[in-house]
Amino acid sequence: LDTLKSVEVVTFLSSSTVDAFMESIEGDLEAVKDIKFASIGPVTSETMRKHGLSVDYEAKIYNVDGIIEAIK
């Protein structure tokens, strides 16, 4: 979790990456409270919300370029 201290934005390209991330932080939302989260699209965003994560950015075009554009 110390690695996350310098992270500004975490991007999720699928629901499975959200699940894996939550497992890696053992569900500790407090550890990621200062991080922004970006989603590749609505399905992934829904998974993020189910885990209690914010959806700060969501791609309008559901690909890597779309997620980068949303963060800009």
Side-chain angles (χ1 to χ4, degrees), residues 11-53:
T11 60
F12 294 113
L13 303 182
S14 69
S15 290
S16 62
T17 59
V18 178
D19 295 335
F21 177 79
M22 291 305 293
E23 186 176 319
S24 75
I25 65 165
E26 299 176 342
D28 186 0
L29 293 175
E30 185 64 23
V32 296
K33 66 180 172 54
D34 296 326
I35 297 174
K36 301 285 186 192
F37 296 98
S39 168
I40 198 161
V43 173
T44 302
S45 294
E46 182 61 27
T47 303
M48 292 165 64
R49 289 184 190 99
K50 284 181 183 174
H51 281 290
L53 297 172

